[in-house]
Amino acid sequence: MKTTVFTAILIGLTAQVLAQDGQITIQQDPKINELVKLYTNVHANSGFYQIQVGFGNFKKAQDLLDQVEIDFPNWYSKIEFESPTYRVRLGRFKTKLEAERKYLEVRKKYPDAMLLKPDERENKS
């Protein structure tokens, strides 16, 4: 009888201990989200082949990007800053074969275009 009562009390206390509900609130500086976005943008192209269409000052790069977006509307295009110039890059190709095929297409319109390997950009960063 004592064992049964003792067991019931022990189970009751254990149920109370296991029934605790916790809540965690994380407070962080809002600038952390900005840094995460910046990091993501910087490393968004790592591991992909890209085609560099041209480079120059910001105005020249912006004009070139506008033209590239007209010529290749469904392709990823972006201006990247690598001191001291702005570079216009096109595409995010996973395989070398795909990149080379697209590169030949781009060279018809932009003869100075260059095919960039993933390693080249990662080492510069």
Side-chain angles (χ1 to χ4, degrees):
M1 173 88 170
K2 285 183 182 181
T3 309
T4 313
V5 172
F6 181 70
T7 305
I9 292 172
L10 190 59
I11 290 174
L13 290 175
T14 306
Q16 277 294 341
V17 172
L18 295 177
Q20 293 180 4
D21 211 2
Q23 188 176 31
I24 297 174
T25 304
I26 298 175
Q27 297 177 354
Q28 69 181 17
D29 189 343
K31 291 182 180 180
I32 291 176
N33 291 332
E34 292 176 35
L35 288 174
V36 169
K37 283 182 183 177
L38 181 63
Y39 178 83
T40 303
N41 289 338
V42 167
H43 294 288
N45 298 324
S46 61
F48 292 101
Y49 288 88
Q50 282 191 308
I51 300 168
Q52 182 171 305
V53 180
F55 60 92
N57 62 28
F58 183 75
K59 175 75 172 123
K60 181 179 176 183
Q62 187 63 48
D63 292 342
L64 184 58
L65 179 67
D66 293 340
Q67 186 61 42
V68 165
E69 288 177 344
I70 292 170
D71 294 335
F72 304 100
N74 298 324
W75 293 18
Y76 173 84
S77 58
K78 181 178 180 181
I79 294 177
E80 294 182 7
F81 178 73
E82 289 182 12
S83 185
T85 60
Y86 293 87
R87 301 169 191 281
V88 178
R89 296 196 172 152
L90 181 62
R92 295 178 70 189
F93 310 108
K94 291 185 179 183
T95 65
K96 185 175 182 179
L97 180 62
E98 178 187 15
E100 287 176 346
R101 286 180 180 166
K102 298 294 184 178
Y103 173 65
L104 292 175
E105 187 177 334
V106 171
R107 285 284 307 254
K108 292 175 186 174
K109 182 77 177 175
Y110 301 97
D112 294 334
M114 298 172 17
L115 180 61
L116 303 176
K117 298 177 183 176
D119 305 341
E120 292 177 15
R121 285 186 314 285
E122 289 175 9
N123 290 337
K124 289 180 183 178
S125 300

